[in-house]
Every structure is written in C-alpha cells, then in structure tokens.
C-alpha cells in the first residue's frame, strides 16, 4: 500500500480557485495526468495535469526549469505527446513529480505568477488518448455482472465453475480506443435471430454500454518474469473510466467459442484524465468477499491485498437522449455502483494474474475491470442487465423508453472517491454518443 | 488480384549465387522484407530483404541513392527499424520498391559492385519483430481444426452453428510476439483436473504449438470506414509463419466464456521475413469450398475472391527434441498441409470481416489465420489434434513418445509456394523452443 503523504493533506489549497470548491473533481489532492492541446488547433500534443477548471501544461512548466532531481527528469517525460515514457519511469518518479506539482500549485507558491501562464482552461482544450496503448486487456471482475449476463446467455449455467478461481479476462482491441467525446456509428454486423439458421448483415439493434474502470500500467515486466502479488501495485500507474460499448446481438452470434470480437472492437471510450494510484491511496479498503466465497489461490493472496487491496469509489452512469438535449434537460442517472460491491478481484490481483504465465505488460497498457455491477437494483453497469436482456424497458423521466441505445443517445460515466478526513477527488467525465449506422455499407443486406 | 509482372519472371537470376539454387527459399522472385542487425551487436535495427543466403541491408542501399521517384521514397521508409511507415505507404509504393530491388539484384546489374557491400550473410544476422504490432488478431479459419478441437472440448457440439457464417476471430496479445529463435519457459497457470473443483497453479502439462500463417496489414482504414471485399487485398502487406503456442490445460479451464487468454499470451513466434502479397501473386487459386458448404454472405463475396482469393502454399511442421539434437538427428516432420485444404475463408475475407463493424486496422497489425489443419491424417496443425487430445501418443523415429511438448523440444515451421511456370519461393523458418518452467514462482503450489 502506498503511504499517505503530504500531497493527500486535506487542508492543502491551490491558487487555482476552482480547485478549492468542495465538489471539484480536480482539487490539488488529485492531480491527474492527461495529454492535451488547444481545441481545434494543430498544436503539438503534450502532457498536462488537471487542477480545478484548468489544465497545467507540463511542457510549458518543464521549460521554466523550476524542478530539480527526479522530478525534473519526470516532468520532461510527462510533457511528451504520450505518457508512456513517464509511466515507465516507475513509482518513485511518479511520486517525485506529484510532490513537486503539489508544491508548485499550492496557495502561496512562489511561482504562481509564471505558472498562471502555463494554465489552459479545461473549456478550451481537447484530449488525445494519453498513452500509446500497446495492448488492451478486458477483465470480467464483477461477479454480479457475470451472473446477470450468464443468466441471459446460458440460463441453465449462469456462473461457470472457473469464475470463482480465475480472474477471467480477454484481449481487447487497442486501435479503436478514443477519449471522452467519442461519437461513433452504430456498428454493422452479422445477426442471427431466434429461429433463423442463416444470419444477416445489419446494424446492431442491441447496442449497449458497459461501465468499467480502466487501469494504465506504469513500469512493465519482462517476458517470462511474472509480477508477484506483493509488488503488483508498483506497476499500476493510475485509473480512468472506460466504456466498453457492446453490440449484444453481434455478441450473441459470434462469441462462441473464442469470445467477443466485432461486438466490442468498433469503439471503446475512456475518460481523458488518469487519476494516479498514489492519489487514490486514502481510499483503499479491505478486500472482502461475501460469506461462503472461497479464498483466492496463494499466488493471488498477500497481506497488503487483504488489508487494503480494494478501492472505495462510487461510479454513476447517466444517459442523455436527443430529446433531452433538444429540451435542455440534464442527463438522467441510470446506475450508481460502489466499486467494492462490484469487484470480485482487486486490481493488483488482475495485474498479477495477467503475468503469472510470464506474459509481459508494458507501460501504457490498459486493463479494463469488466462491467461493474453491484448486487442491488439500479447498480447494474449495462442496459443488458437493467432491462433483463431487453425484455423490460426502462422508462426515462421524460417518458421515453429504452431497452438498448438509440441513435443520438449519449452515455456519461462519472466517478469519485470520498472519505472522512480526506479531500474528495473525481475522475471527470467519460462521454460517448451513438450516431446512426452508415448508409450503404458494401455488401449489406436486410 | 495483383497482376503478374516482370518481378515474377522465372528466368530472372540474381548475382547472389545462392538465390539461383532450385530449392532456395529466397530467389530474386521472392524478396521478403525483415528487420536485421549483425547478431550480438548493438547496431541500429534496419530494414532488409533476403536474397539467397544474404540479407540486403536497405539502410546501406538507401545511402547509395541509386533509386528515384516512388522507389526512392519507399526505400527510405523500408530502411527504418520498423517497417510500419513502409507498410503504410500502400501497394504502389511496395510494388515500386520491389521492382527496383529486382532490377538491382539481377544478374548483370550495373550496381553489383556497390551492392555486394550492402549484403550481410544470413548466418551473421539477428532479427527484430519487423513491425511495431499495434494489434494482433487471431482467426480460426480452418474448419478441420475447428471441428477437431470442438470435438475435444465439446464432444456433443463440435462445430458451432456460427462457424460456417462468421470468420471467427479473437484478439491476441501483441507484446509477447517474438521472431524465430524464441525460447520461452513452460508457462505456469491454473489447471483444474477432471474430478477436481479447486484448481492448482502449476506448470502446463499440455503445451502445444499451432501452425498458422500471419498476415501483416499494409495501409490501414479509418475508424468507422469498413474495407469492402473488393479492396481488401490492397491492405495486405504480406505473410509470415506464426506459432500460436498454446497451453491446453490452462485453456480448458479458463476459456469460458470470453475465450483463450493466459493459455496463449505467454509467447507467439513468427518467421522473420515477410513474404509480400505481390510475391505470392502467381500462387493464387480459386476459393472453393466442399460440396454442400454455403456461400458466404454478400459482404464477403466478390468475383476476384471467387476466382483467385485463395493461395496455394504448403506448410510443414517438424519437431527437434533434445535427444535428437544430442545425437545430431535432423528435425522430424509431423505435419504437411496445403493451405487451400485448410482454410474455410480467404485472407481477404478475414480483412473485410474484421472491419465490417467499422473497426480500424493499422499498418503493422498482425492477423493470424488460426491453426491450419487439413482433412487427412498427418495434416493437422497441432499436437492436440495429432494425438486426439493427448490420448494417442505419437512415436517419433528415435522411439520417443510425444503427446504434448516436452522441455527442450524445438518446433520448426516451414512453408513454400510452387507452381509450374513459376519460381518456387519459401518462407524460411519459424522456430521456437520450450524451456523448463521457472523455479519458485511466487505463490505456486502443487
């Protein structure tokens, strides 16, 4: 477990006023990393941290030469157009830069004047995917999601015997990952309706979101050198929100025997700011499973993981339909879920399991948690579950019905951590929007 | 279909003598691309083409400024430490460079003298993975393999209803792909024996190879812009051999419901030379399925694909055990398979299917064919099939028995194309070797 240090002190305030508002996602205790440029410009992408309603441009700060030692080396790497080199520097470098930035941005900072020249309003920026994602792996770590979905796909056999032992995961597609704001066409794909033996190529009619956390790997491991559970945390750079958009009709037809493929790889949306593992240290909680659940195998067990392997976050899903936008209505919440209730495995366990066979992780690799669903109604992380496989439509506040997503629907994820005695920190927004299917796809037929 | 042109002329000979030997894998009609440096050196990696028993160092050739126009631009890109930029230049650039290199290396070339200074003996080089592989996808395109394996995993339901319609594929792990010569430790993983309900972490006891072709993408497509079957070939840069090493005991326990993960991602070995799609033009054959098999959906159908979408290659698998090495015995062939017998889909169909939902492919992406098994005994591309799930051991020529791979076993793939009226071309070798499992993996228990 990372120690709590002076960067977590709840009394710390920033000279950026908006960072001090109680509900701010980005107080000085957070300092998440992203990659930015002025929206619509052709500027070089560069690393930044969010503070209040501003982004601190790290390439501009690096040029001021205010830092020395490891922090000075780290800011050079963190200022680059992708954060991979910074991520790869490891936990000490990340900590050194965080501590330095905390001091620079604090109220009373002797450098406030020059640093104000390095701020860009969040309203004026656009984001790139913050790292070159070499490989993207998606897990399946919520037992409630696995059970709910299993019931729909395999009514006789919802939770498979391996689930309680293996942190189930599969490889995803890195090329179609984009940051919040992604708008994508409803995917085409093969669908085979009940009672049919010949499929048709058509736009997905069961398009869904999946609420997930994304985990960016910091320093990696060599091929053939597993990461023991005792040091798994050292390889976690930080977290973001992740929407694993899913076409359920494509998925049902294609997923046997090798898993989801075109049902998922048309789009994945992540929130642009990576909340560091260090920033989340105050929100660590014991890893506890319900009574009667087995203990993990020894390679997935450590004292630190038992005492504080889990993380207390709250995550929300909201929908904004075209009609809601037209009438100026705010997005409507569909789901609220607390992470410890959803996760059957801790994030360090996912890292260790991934490498137990010698598989190598690299800086910038992305691990998805899998859909986060809690045990109670209103805590499920996908429409598939909320509507019981599309059988029970949801009625929205304006009277619209939803089983799956309609064209024009935007889905917005938010998340935050709060705990008595510490400053609340947030993840910002992960937003994506569904556009109509393309017209005239070659070879398409009804 | 790519036209046959002067680079395919069987009468062409090279001033590199070994390229003119009838059984040479790398005659002047082949000219496969790879990335090399002198073995054991710290030289910069650079692009090269194989010719006879030599590699032509393209970074050295580029400095001679012998070329002009598109070929001159292409050789600059092909000389880089990864071939991505060259791949991305597209078919015309690839063709221009191939034509130029064919002329430069031909008997009577006016530049023979300076070019001899750019040759490095194959015996003296080492290879890098020739491209930065952004994403690796593995298909399952042999119906015989799917049926054989399905019978073992699901005796009641070997070939699933989707198989004849969907080119089944899944995402693989790019980070653990290495070139021929890879040696890797037998992977650890969870195994749950028959009759057990609690798994154990142990070294895989059912370690296998899978004979596959690898396809490198040339120019990619934008997210949301499917590649129609009519232009799929324009996006194929070339082919290599691929060994999708598989731990069958890990796979059996983990693969439901999301597909193989740790059973595959500990190692994947590819042959180092990419045989270009253009070099393979003379070996294209009609796409034909057995009587009674359905026609693919329209988006996977084109006249060109029907007339010449398939490729006539022959592939061999050989094993070299530690005992065989100790006694100086040559590797022993286990399998010979002809590609058209194995593939239920053509390679262009795999490209098109991958993008029909809008998924974006990028230069350097790698697509695996899936295990190549033919219909007859001795043509199966994995031990799992040759030994009927490990039930019927193979007896090697020296009396050794094999069900799955033993420590010290090396597996060697080779492949070639030949056709009357054309020069035979080969792929070189894809070799990998199994080392013992690591000792003292943290948390391991028997």
């Amino acid at each position: 477990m990372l120690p709590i240090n002076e960067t977590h002190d709840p009394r710390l305030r920033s000279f950026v006023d908006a960072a001090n508002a109680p509900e701010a996602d980005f107080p000085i205790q957070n300092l998440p990393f992203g990659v930015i440029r002025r929206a619509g410009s052709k500027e070089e992408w560069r690393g930044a941290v969010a503070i209040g309603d501003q982004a601190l441009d790290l390439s501009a700060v690096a040029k001021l030469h205010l830092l020395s030692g490891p922090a000075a080396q780290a800011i050079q790497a963190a200022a680059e157009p992708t954060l991979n080199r910074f991520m790869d520097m490891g936990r000490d470098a990340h900590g050194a830069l965080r501590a330095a930035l905390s001091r620079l941005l604090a109220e009373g900072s002797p450098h406030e004047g020059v640093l104000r020249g390095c701020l860009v309003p969040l309203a004026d920026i656009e984001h790139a995917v913050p790292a070159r994602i070499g490989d993207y792996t998606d897990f399946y770590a919520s037992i409630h999601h696995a059970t709910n979905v299993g019931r729909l796909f395999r009514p006789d056999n919802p939770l498979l015997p391996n689930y309680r032992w293996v942190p189930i995961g599969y490889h995803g597609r890195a090329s179609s990952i984009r940051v919040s704001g992604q708008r994508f066409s409803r995917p085409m794909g093969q669908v085979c309706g009940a009672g049919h033996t010949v499929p048709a190529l058509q736009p997905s009619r069961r398009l869904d979101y999946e609420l997930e956390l994304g985990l960016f790997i910091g320093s990696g491991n060599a091929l053939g050198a597993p990461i023991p559970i005792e040091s798994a945390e050292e390889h976690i750079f930080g977290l973001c929100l992740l929407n694993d958009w899913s076409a359920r009709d494509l998925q049902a037809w294609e997923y046997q025997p090798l898993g989801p493929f075109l049902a998922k790889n048309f789009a994945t949306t992540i929130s642009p700011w990576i909340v560091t593992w260090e920033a989340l240290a105050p929100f660590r909680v014991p890893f506890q499973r319900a009574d009667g659940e087995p203990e993990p195998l020894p390679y997935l067990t450590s004292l630190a993981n038992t005492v504080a392997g889990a993380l207390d976050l709250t995550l929300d899903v909201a929908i904004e339909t075209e009609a809601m936008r037209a009438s100026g209505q705010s997005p409507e919440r569909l789901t609220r879920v607390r992470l410890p209730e959803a996760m059957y495995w801790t994030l360090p366990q996912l890292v260790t399991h991934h490498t137990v066979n010698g598989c190598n992780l690299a800086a910038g690799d992305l691990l998805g948690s899998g859909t986060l669903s809690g045990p109670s109604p209103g805590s499920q992380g996908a429409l598939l579950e909320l509507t019981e496989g599309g059988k029970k439509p949801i009625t929205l506040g304006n009277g619209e019905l939803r089983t799956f997503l309609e064209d024009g629907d935007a889905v917005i994820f938010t998340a935050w951590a709060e705990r008595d005695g510490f400053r609340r920190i947030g993840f910002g927004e992960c937003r994506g929007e569904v556009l109509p299917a393309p017209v005239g796809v070659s070879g398409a037929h009804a």
Side-chain angles (χ1 to χ4, degrees), chain A residues 109-133:
Chain A
S109 164
H111 304 293
E112 176 179 340
V114 287
L115 290 169
R116 283 200 179 273
C118 304
L119 296 173
V120 190
L122 295 184
D124 295 347
I125 63 171
E126 61 185 1
H127 286 275
V129 173
R132 187 178 49 72
I133 300 170

Side-chain angles (χ1 to χ4, degrees), chain A residues 237-368:
Chain A
F237 177 75
L239 308 183
C240 63
L241 298 168
L242 185 154
N243 190 336
D244 179 28
W245 305 95
S246 299
R248 302 301 182 187
D249 38 5
L250 278 58
Q251 187 175 355
W253 175 236
E254 77 168 2
Y255 93 106
Q256 287 281 20
L258 298 181
F261 180 48
L262 299 190
K264 303 270 195 178
N265 66 13
F266 55 90
T268 302
T269 311
I270 60 174
S271 57
W273 294 109
I274 307 174
V275 177
T276 63
W277 193 243
E278 186 174 356
L280 292 162
F283 310 102
R284 306 285 292 278
V285 294
F287 168 61
Q288 285 181 313
R289 287 179 173 172
D291 286 348
E293 297 291 342
E295 287 297 308
L297 291 186
Y299 77 97
L300 296 174
T301 303
S302 75
L303 181 61
N305 190 67
T306 303
V307 172
L311 190 59
D312 189 9
L313 299 181
T314 306
L315 302 98
D316 274 6
V317 177
I319 190 168
E320 181 191 80
T321 68
E322 213 159 24
M324 290 162 69
R325 267 197 302 283
S327 65
Q329 203 185 322
S330 297
E332 176 171 336
R333 171 150 57 97
L334 298 178
T335 290
R336 173 164 292 178
V337 60
R338 285 195 49 232
L339 192 65
E341 291 187 346
M343 297 273 286
Y344 194 74
W345 304 97
T346 67
L347 296 170
Q349 285 173 327
L350 301 184
V351 170
T352 291
H353 179 69
H354 202 318
T355 67
V356 70
N357 66 343
C359 181
N360 55 326
L361 303 178
D365 284 355
L366 181 64
L367 275 54

Side-chain angles (χ1 to χ4, degrees), chain A residues 48-128:
Chain A
V49 295
I51 179 76
D53 56 356
Q54 306 286 318
L56 182 70
D57 176 340
L58 295 181
S59 81
V61 177
K63 292 191 187 104
L64 299 175
H65 298 290
L66 301 174
L67 307 181
S68 60
Q73 292 177 8
I75 200 170
Q76 295 294 340
E80 293 179 1
T82 65
L83 297 178
N84 295 72
R85 193 166 72 85
F86 175 54
M87 290 168 162
D88 197 35
M89 293 176 96
R91 187 164 63 165
D92 291 348
H94 307 154
L97 183 54
R98 174 180 165 85
L101 292 172
S102 176
R103 286 190 291 270
L104 288 179
L105 289 167
E107 261 182 3
S109 164
H111 304 293
E112 176 179 340
V114 287
L115 290 169
R116 283 200 179 273
C118 304
L119 296 173
V120 190
L122 295 184
D124 295 347
I125 63 171
E126 61 185 1
H127 286 275

Side-chain angles (χ1 to χ4, degrees), chain A residues 144 148 333-337 341 373-381 385-386 388:
Chain A
H144 306 293
N148 293 340
R333 171 150 57 97
L334 298 178
T335 290
R336 173 164 292 178
V337 60
E341 291 187 346
S373 294
S376 49
S379 71
Q380 297 99 335
E385 295 167 74
L386 289 170
E388 298 182 22

Side-chain angles (χ1 to χ4, degrees), chain A residues 383 385-395 402-403:
Chain A
L383 282 173
E385 295 167 74
L386 289 170
T387 67
E388 298 182 22
K391 289 193 289 287
K392 297 192 178 170
I394 293 173
T395 307
R402 282 295 178 277
T403 46

Side-chain angles (χ1 to χ4, degrees), chain A residues 70-211:
Chain A
Q73 292 177 8
I75 200 170
Q76 295 294 340
E80 293 179 1
T82 65
L83 297 178
N84 295 72
R85 193 166 72 85
F86 175 54
M87 290 168 162
D88 197 35
M89 293 176 96
R91 187 164 63 165
D92 291 348
H94 307 154
L97 183 54
R98 174 180 165 85
L101 292 172
S102 176
R103 286 190 291 270
L104 288 179
L105 289 167
E107 261 182 3
S109 164
H111 304 293
E112 176 179 340
V114 287
L115 290 169
R116 283 200 179 273
C118 304
L119 296 173
V120 190
L122 295 184
D124 295 347
I125 63 171
E126 61 185 1
H127 286 275
V129 173
R132 187 178 49 72
I133 300 170
D135 279 289
Y136 160 45
T137 296
D138 201 15
F139 283 93
Y140 197 56
S142 162
I143 194 170
H144 306 293
H145 171 69
T147 305
N148 293 340
V149 172
R151 193 172 290 126
L152 299 168
F153 282 77
R154 296 174 304 277
D156 50 330
N157 195 18
L159 198 67
L160 296 164
N162 59 6
Y163 189 85
R164 291 189 156 87
W165 300 101
V166 183
I168 297 288
Y170 68 106
H171 301 116
R173 178 89 195 168
S175 71
S176 49
I177 298 172
R178 296 289 182 274
V179 286
S180 184
Q182 182 174 20
R183 304 169 84 212
F184 61 89
S185 298
R186 177 180 297 274
M188 304 288 296
Q190 286 193 29
V191 174
C192 195
H196 289 72
T197 56
V198 176
L201 184 74
Q202 61 186 39
S204 171
R205 291 170 188 161
R206 292 164 67 91
L207 185 60
D208 203 354
Y209 56 83
E210 290 192 339
L211 171 66

